[in-house]
Amino acid sequence: MTSAITSATANPRHLFQSGNPGSRILRDLGGVVLLAIAALAAGLVINRFSSAPLPLIYQTPEQRFDAELTTMVAAPPFKIAPAATVGLDEFRSVVESKSALILDARPSSFFDGGHVPGALNLARDDFAQDYRRLAGVLEAAHDKPIIVYCSGGDCHDSRLVANALLTLGFSNVRVFTGGWDAWSAAGLPASSGNKQ
């Protein structure tokens, strides 16, 4: 008996090689844990460098849709495909005849202060939220003429919103480049408040 104890203490590897089930379980469990850590690390690295990485935190379909909409409308102006434009006379005629859906891409505070009569507010800053709010109206106008405007001049919000709508499959989207500045400078009628 003493010789068995002496040989086990003299050679500690003998404990792991012997029939001791507790030590084999610990050894196997340690191997599984190391393998799981290596697999997790490899998966994270592959996902990180993938062309379409999976999100690490779960998002509901609505949250994913909002994120995609926000990404669409946040493109730098120089990356925007040129949308067809309309001048003041044509825009005025369309507004008077109500032959197109008119969208104001300015923030809601500017929209509330004054906007083209009949226009709906689809602000670039709140694009995902406004798009969801106007979804019924927008879907009904999917293949109909849509004209987007913002402040005019150096304002690119109308182009960003128009580009996002084109990306979403709207086929007839144009931009009134003169925007609110040209409309109000011409002394044309205006509406105020949030009457949508």
Side-chain angles (χ1 to χ4, degrees):
M1 176 99 156
T2 309
S3 65
I5 293 174
T6 307
S7 70
T9 55
N11 185 3
R13 295 183 90 203
H14 180 69
L15 280 176
F16 293 109
Q17 294 172 350
S18 69
N20 186 349
S23 61
R24 274 190 285 171
I25 291 173
L26 285 176
R27 183 190 68 208
D28 291 346
L29 186 59
V32 168
V33 168
L34 287 175
L35 185 61
I37 291 171
L40 177 64
L44 289 172
V45 168
I46 290 170
N47 186 53
R48 170 69 176 96
F49 295 108
S50 170
S51 61
L54 298 173
L56 296 179
I57 299 172
Y58 175 75
Q59 293 180 328
T60 64
E62 292 81 16
Q63 289 171 324
R64 288 192 304 268
F65 182 68
D66 287 354
E68 288 174 19
L69 290 176
T70 302
T71 301
M72 270 188 237
V73 82
F78 59 87
K79 291 187 177 180
I80 299 172
T85 60
V86 298
L88 179 61
D89 292 335
E90 184 181 356
F91 184 64
R92 179 181 182 180
S93 173
V94 167
V95 170
E96 289 172 354
S97 67
K98 299 180 181 178
S99 59
L101 177 63
I102 308 299
L103 299 175
D104 187 324
R106 299 175 302 154
S108 60
S109 59
F110 291 102
F111 178 83
D112 293 344
H115 57 270
V116 173
L120 300 176
N121 192 213
L122 181 60
R124 183 193 62 84
D125 294 341
D126 298 318
F127 186 79
Q129 178 183 346
D130 286 350
Y131 184 88
R132 191 179 301 285
R133 179 179 47 81
L134 296 172
V137 174
L138 290 169
E139 286 305 314
H142 204 272
D143 295 320
K144 296 179 181 171
I146 298 173
I147 300 178
V148 185
Y149 74 92
C150 58
S151 296
D154 292 333
C155 176
H156 296 289
D157 290 352
S158 56
R159 292 189 183 278
L160 292 166
V161 168
N163 189 54
L165 292 172
L166 289 167
T167 303
L168 288 166
F170 291 84
S171 59
N172 191 358
V173 181
R174 298 182 293 165
V175 174
F176 170 47
T177 54
W180 176 248
D181 292 347
W183 182 268
S184 56
L188 295 168
S191 297
S192 61
N194 192 358
K195 298 175 184 173
Q196 296 186 39

